[in-house]
Each structure stands twice: as C-alpha cells, then as structure tokens.
C-alpha cells in the first residue's frame, strides 16, 4: 500500500494509506455472459417481433440495459451477450448504445449469436448456449465467469457477489432472494446451511418448501451465477457429453454441483438497510405494466435518477417534450407521469402514465395509467386507460381502450389484471420497421 | 411528513455553496475528508472503498452513505 497525504482548504494534513482495491482485481478478471436469447412468450404481443431483453422499459431504456449497466457500474467491462430469438432490435440497440467500451483497454460488449461453433444447432438450454461459446471464453482467459439473465430489472453491484465467491472459496455462487411460497414454483428453489452453503436445489418445483425461519417464503435463485472459470468449463464439457441432460443451468448444472462441489448462496439485499432489494421479473404483461407504473411514484423503489448508479441506454435524438395549448378545456398537460424526448401533448391530458420517445397525444384525448411505447400516435378524442400501446401504433380519433374489457378482448389482448395490450397487428397496421 | 429522496426535485435541502459537501456530498472532497477523519482516529480509511463489500462494522457513523450503490468510477 502507498503512503499518502491528505489536506486542502486548511484541513489538517493526515498521512494514511490508500484503501485496497482487491474487488477491482476480481471484476477485472471476470467475463460476464448475458443470456439474451429468450423470447419471453408470456409478454404476448410485446415479444412477437423482438426478444424479451429488447423490450422497452422505463421511458427510454430496454430491459437489457439494467444487466449491462450493473456490469459496467460494478467494473465488469468484458461482456458477451448471447442472442438467438429475433435479435435484430437487440443487436441494433447494443451497437447504438453500448459501443462506447474501449477495446484498447480490454473492455468490450461482444455479441455471441448462435453460430454453430461446437455443433450444428441452435442454443439448446442456457448451459448449452454458454458451452457453444467455450472457445471464446477460453480465449478471453477470465478467472471468473458471471452468468446473467438479460431480462430482469434490478440494480446490483456484482463486486459484492464476486467478493463473496472468493471469500467462500466457492465453485459457484448463486444470487438469491426470498419469494412468497405461492410464487416459488416459477424459480429454482434452494436450501442452504447456516454458513450459506447450498445443500439443495430444485428447478421450478411443483411443491416448494418454505425457509425454516420464514415458512411462507422460499429462497429463489435469481439466475445470476458466479463460476470459477476453470470449474465452469470442465462442468460444461461434462454436461455436453450427457445425453440425458437438458443442458440447462437450473435443471442440470446446479443440481449436480450442489451434490458434488462448493455452491454458495448470496442473498440479494439492499446494502444500506439489509432488506430485500428491488428486483422485478417483468415476464408478464401485468408485471411489465406494474413495474413501469412504479417508476412514476414520488419515491419509487427503483431510483433511475441516482447518479451514483446510472442506467445507461441508447436514446433517440429528439427535441424536448412539448405541451401545447393552455385554454380552458384544451390544455396540454401531463401529471404524475414520465414523458420522454420528442413527445408532444397537444391539448390533451396525460395522467399517471409513461410516454416513450416521439409519442403524440392529440386534442381532447385522455391517457391514464398507461404505457405508450415509442412513436405511438393517439388521435383526437381518444380515451386510453390501463393500457400498453406497442411501438408505432396509430390510434384513430375517438378510440376507447381500457374502459370496457369485454369489448377490448375482442380486438386486443387483455391480461388477467385488466391491462390491455395493443399492437400494430391488432389494428391491422402492418408496419415495416424495427421494434 | 412524506419521506423524500434524491429523485424528488423538492428534496434537496439548501446547501452552502462554499462548503465542500455543498458541491456534491458523494464527491471526492467528501471522500477524502472522511478518509482523513478515519485515519486521524487510528482507523483504516475504508469509506466508500471496496472494503465496504466485506464490512463488519454496523455501528460505523458513515455506514449508510458508504453502503449506497456506487459505480466503480465513483469509489
């Protein structure tokens, strides 16, 4: 450690040593692989033309921006994104928004589409997706491999996860959080010993068991894994030779690792409060709509305005949002809302809604509790309530959505919680552009 | 009274623009000031550093500020 001196503006000069930067060594020696090939079929019409990680979120982002921002903010700057299903808009977003890494400094966001590197097929299962890129992983020579899903909304410092992995001398470390027992069958559920070592792992169990100290909750894997690289490569090779395997981390790699090797759980908690941290799987229309609505709150749980942990994205180049007309009965305004650049609200009311870029809301229309994706045009005299309107939709004058669920069901997609999804196809608008 | 945080535009209390902490409470001046205080007290100057990942000091007076999510280039 180096000796150093501090003192400015008349404060006493004090000699001390720089803090150690051991976690920087861990993050620098880590390769992150973001699994972004999934369709996310539960999102219905939002993923017919794009992969789930490319679905727009929070006004000007896409879902994958959270995992990538977490990597960069954590100091993990070697990132591979594994793509497969309808990846064009995802690839375009990454090239436009994530091309700033400096290759000269060993930083990159690299696209890893299924390209028949090890056999003649598509990616089959999450482990197979990583296995098919085994030569690329070896070439990067990381000490640790961080496996992430590209389809969750959360802010996490992966440095802490890596520190836990090294402290425990683990082969695998799994980020986890408590979920209500009723929801647990959708996750990989773990049992742990007092020291955090995982002693049981079952992927999507039919009858999950509760935690001993919290019987109404189960400990769920978040699909975020740190592997010691040599260990991972060895296990992937073994798995590839097993004809009975589904080549999936949750179904095959982890259950076996729990039996044979050192697997540890790292609970995902708010580092300040110790409470369960914010994490959302926006896998259904209802959860997607709700997560967007949460952002509008005065003090949202997910703080997108925190400059200490910025969420990067690619944004369109457009002028600031504009609100025109201030006459009685014809006032352009938005309240309790997030409105992005390029939007025009013209003599209309937007309340408790999220407007992505270049949305137009025309005279005497009312938009409430809704999410309008980029380039939506709401014609005059429309009433849109509790809806998600897909990119590029043009709603004709007088359109009413979200008022009569029965009528909406005949034309659109209506979720169990009553959120209406409208896509251009449902409006017979065949649009040739990238979503 | 409703709790407020940094993303609430009404939340920021008035600050003395001449003071170090008035510029940005998480900035380098603040960090060095706390490191100096820690060192003067005979402690390791660990505030906001990567040592926070393995911190076992629940009573540290700077714990909340230190444990706030902080991008690598802000540490």
């Amino acid at each position: 450690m180096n000796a150093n001196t501090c003192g400015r503006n008349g404060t006493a000069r004090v000699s001390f040593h720089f803090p150690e930067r051991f976690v920087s060594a861990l993050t620098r020696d880590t390769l992150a692989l973001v699994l972004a090939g999934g369709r996310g079929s539960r999102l219905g019409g939002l993923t017919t033309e794009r992969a789930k990680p490319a679905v727009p979120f929070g006004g000007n982002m896409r879902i994958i921006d959270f995992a990538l921002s977490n990597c960069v903010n954590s100091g993990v700057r070697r990132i591979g994104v594994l793509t497969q299903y309808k990846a064009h808009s995802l690839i375009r977003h990454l090239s436009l928004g994530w091309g700033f890494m400096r290759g000269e400094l060993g930083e990159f966001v690299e696209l890893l589409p299924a390209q028949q590197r090890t056999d003649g097929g598509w990616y089959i299962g999450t482990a197979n997706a990583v296995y098919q890129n085994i030569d690329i992983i070896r070439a990067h020579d990381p000490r640790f491999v961080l496996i992430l899903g590209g389809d969750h909304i959360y802010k996490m410092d992966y440095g802490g996860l890596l520190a836990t992995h090294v402290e425990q001398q683990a082969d695998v470390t799994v980020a986890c959080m408590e979920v209500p027992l009723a929801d647990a069958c959708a996750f990989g559920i773990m049992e742990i010993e007092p020291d955090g070592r995982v002693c049981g792992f079952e992927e999507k169990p039919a009858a999950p068991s509760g935690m001993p100290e919290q019987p109404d909750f189960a400990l769920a894997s978040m699909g975020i894994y740190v592997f010691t690289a040599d260990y991972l490569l060895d296990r992937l090779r073994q798995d590839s030779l097993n004809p009975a395997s589904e080549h999936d981390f949750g179904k095959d790699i982890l259950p076996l690792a729990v039996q044979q090797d050192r697997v540890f759980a790292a609970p995902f908690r708010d580092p300040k409060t110790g409470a369960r941290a914010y994490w959302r799987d926006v896998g259904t229309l209802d959860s997607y709509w709700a997560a967007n609505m949460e952002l509008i709150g005065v003090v949202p749980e997910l703080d997108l305005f925190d400059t200490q942990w910025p969420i990067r994205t690619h944004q369109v180049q457009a002028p600031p949002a504009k609100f025109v007309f201030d006459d009685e009965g014809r006032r352009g305004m938005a309240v309790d809302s997030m409105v992005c650049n390029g939007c025009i609200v013209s003599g209309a009311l937007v309340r408790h809604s999220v407007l992505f870029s270049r949305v137009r809301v025309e005279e005497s229309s009312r938009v409430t509790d809704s999410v309008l994706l980029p380039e939506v045009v709401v014609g005059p005299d429309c009433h849109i309530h509790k809806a998600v309107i897909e990119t590029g939709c043009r709603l004709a004058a007088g359109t009413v959505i979200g008022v009569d669920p029965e009528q909406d069901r005949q034309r659109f997609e209506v979720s169990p919680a009553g959120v209406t999804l409208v896509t251009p196809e449902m409006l017979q608008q065949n649009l040739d552009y990238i979503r | 009274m409703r709790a407020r945080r940094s993303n609430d535009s009404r939340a920021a209390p008035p600050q003395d623009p001449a003071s170090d902490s008035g510029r940005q409470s998480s900035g380098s001046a603040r960090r060095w000031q706390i490191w100096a205080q820690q060192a003067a007290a005979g402690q390791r100057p660990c505030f906001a550093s990567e040592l926070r990942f393995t911190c076992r000091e629940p009573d540290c007076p700077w714990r909340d500020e230190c444990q706030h999510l902080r991008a690598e280039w802000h540490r």
Side-chain angles (χ1 to χ4, degrees):
Chain A
M1 290 195 296
N2 301 321
N4 188 42
T5 306
C6 171
R8 67 190 260 192
N9 299 341
T11 58
R13 297 180 70 82
V14 181
S15 292
F16 58 85
H17 296 284
F18 282 122
E20 293 158 352
R21 296 186 66 85
F22 72 96
V23 175
S24 290
L26 305 183
T27 54
R28 192 178 58 235
D29 291 345
T30 297
L31 174 68
L33 296 176
V34 183
L35 304 173
R39 174 175 179 175
S41 53
R42 291 177 300 154
L43 276 171
L46 285 176
T47 52
T48 52
E49 297 299 327
R50 58 164 92 82
K52 182 179 167 188
V55 170
F57 182 83
N60 59 1
M61 291 157 225
R62 294 190 188 241
I63 293 173
I64 196 170
D65 290 327
F66 288 85
L68 295 177
S69 295
N70 288 339
C71 283
V72 172
N73 290 346
S74 301
V76 177
R77 307 227 174 143
R78 296 193 291 166
I79 305 168
V81 180
L82 283 67
T83 65
Q84 182 156 277
Y85 170 82
K86 291 193 179 176
H88 184 69
S89 57
L90 178 62
I91 292 168
R92 193 164 178 270
H93 176 72
L94 295 177
S95 66
L96 289 171
W98 289 90
F100 60 88
M101 305 285 254
R102 300 295 304 208
E104 306 93 306
L105 304 180
E107 306 172 353
F108 55 82
V109 174
E110 204 166 70
L111 289 164
L112 301 172
Q115 49 185 317
Q116 304 182 352
R117 299 184 74 84
T118 55
D119 55 36
W122 291 94
Y123 292 151
I124 312 159
T126 50
N128 176 259
V130 176
Y131 174 71
Q132 287 203 31
N133 291 287
I134 201 164
D135 57 332
I136 296 174
I137 299 170
R138 263 204 318 265
H140 288 310
D141 191 26
R143 172 87 180 142
F144 308 102
V145 179
L146 175 64
I147 308 281
L148 306 168
D151 54 358
H152 294 134
I153 307 293
Y154 65 106
K155 298 200 288 189
M156 181 192 281
D157 194 329
Y158 301 132
L161 194 62
L162 285 158
T164 303
H165 182 79
V166 171
E167 269 196 334
Q168 300 284 16
Q169 298 182 316
D171 297 308
V172 192
T173 301
V174 185
C176 60
M177 68 189 313
E178 298 93 348
V179 296
L181 210 51
D183 303 335
C185 55
F187 297 92
I189 298 300
M190 302 190 286
E191 290 170 46
I192 59 169
E193 293 168 357
D195 65 349
R197 186 163 182 171
V198 181
C199 53
F201 187 100
E202 192 179 357
E203 183 72 2
K204 298 181 180 167
S209 20
M211 299 162 66
E213 64 279 18
Q214 295 182 81
D216 296 335
F217 287 84
L219 193 63
S221 159
M222 298 168 66
I224 299 170
Y225 316 119
V226 176
F227 284 90
T228 303
D230 292 343
Y231 171 85
L232 174 67
L233 299 184
D234 184 53
R235 288 296 178 268
L236 288 177
R237 272 191 216 100
Q238 282 180 19
D239 179 73
S240 72
L241 299 172
N242 179 2
S245 172
E246 292 183 47
H247 311 301
D248 187 270
F249 280 108
K251 290 176 187 162
D252 305 292
I253 303 286
L254 285 175
L256 198 62
V258 166
Q259 288 172 25
Q260 299 176 349
D261 307 307
R262 289 179 66 80
V263 182
F264 280 80
F268 180 38
R269 299 193 185 285
D270 183 314
K272 282 166 68 176
T273 63
R276 197 163 63 143
Y278 177 95
W279 180 81
R280 295 287 184 275
D281 174 12
V282 287
T284 63
L285 189 57
D286 286 330
S287 59
Y288 173 78
W289 174 84
N292 274 286
M293 289 294 110
E294 283 173 358
L295 298 176
I296 298 167
V298 176
V299 187
E301 214 179 325
L302 178 70
D303 183 2
L304 295 178
F305 292 74
D306 182 1
T307 55
Q308 296 291 304
W309 198 264
I311 305 299
R312 289 191 62 97
T313 189
H314 163 68
Q315 304 191 51
V316 297
Q317 297 296 312
K322 189 162 84 170
F323 304 85
V324 290
F325 295 118
D326 191 18
D327 309 322
E328 202 55 51
R330 191 176 70 150
R331 182 164 289 128
M333 60 186 289
V335 287
D336 274 343
S337 296
M338 292 172 75
V339 180
C340 278
N341 49 350
C343 289
I344 299 177
V345 178
S346 173
L349 170 65
V350 174
R351 174 168 281 142
H352 200 250
S353 295
V354 179
L355 270 55
F356 284 66
S357 58
R358 291 186 177 142
V359 167
R360 291 182 69 110
V361 186
E362 296 181 358
E363 201 165 318
S364 301
S365 283
R366 198 148 39 110
V367 176
T368 54
D369 296 335
S370 294
V371 180
L372 275 53
L373 299 190
E375 314 210 8
V376 166
V377 176
V378 179
D381 299 308
C382 292
H383 183 190
I384 313 301
H385 175 68
K386 204 174 178 181
V388 176
I389 313 292
E390 168 65 298
T391 304
C393 281
R394 276 148 176 74
L395 304 181
T399 301
V400 176
I401 294 169
V403 175
D404 182 346
E406 286 313 311
Q407 198 183 18
D408 287 341
R409 267 189 202 97
Q410 291 168 22
R411 299 178 294 167
F412 311 124
E413 205 173 304
V414 180
S415 73
V419 178
T420 307
L421 171 66
V422 180
T423 67
E425 289 75 19
M426 295 170 190
L427 298 168
Q428 281 78 51
Q429 295 168 350
N430 296 316
L431 303 176
D432 293 323
Y433 62 86
I434 299 152
R435 285 183 206 162
Chain B
M1 194 174 150
R2 188 159 44 178
R4 289 171 176 169
R5 281 195 339 202
S6 58
N7 64 348
D8 179 355
S9 58
R10 298 161 298 180
Q15 291 177 326
D16 174 7
S19 73
D20 275 351
S21 60
R23 282 203 296 270
Q24 193 181 19
S25 63
S26 53
S28 64
R30 171 76 174 152
R31 210 161 49 234
W32 281 87
Q33 184 187 43
I34 293 173
W35 283 345
Q37 286 182 50
Q38 289 181 313
Q43 299 164 357
R44 214 171 177 186
C46 57
F47 172 76
S49 77
E50 297 174 346
L51 295 171
R52 71 204 178 103
F53 291 119
T54 49
C55 176
R56 306 273 189 274
E57 299 287 342
D59 299 326
C60 171
W62 296 289
R63 184 175 173 83
D64 271 13
E65 193 178 342
C66 173
Q67 292 289 330
H68 190 87
L69 272 176
R70 190 181 298 264
E72 186 234 13
W73 62 90
H74 286 305
R75 286 174 207 155

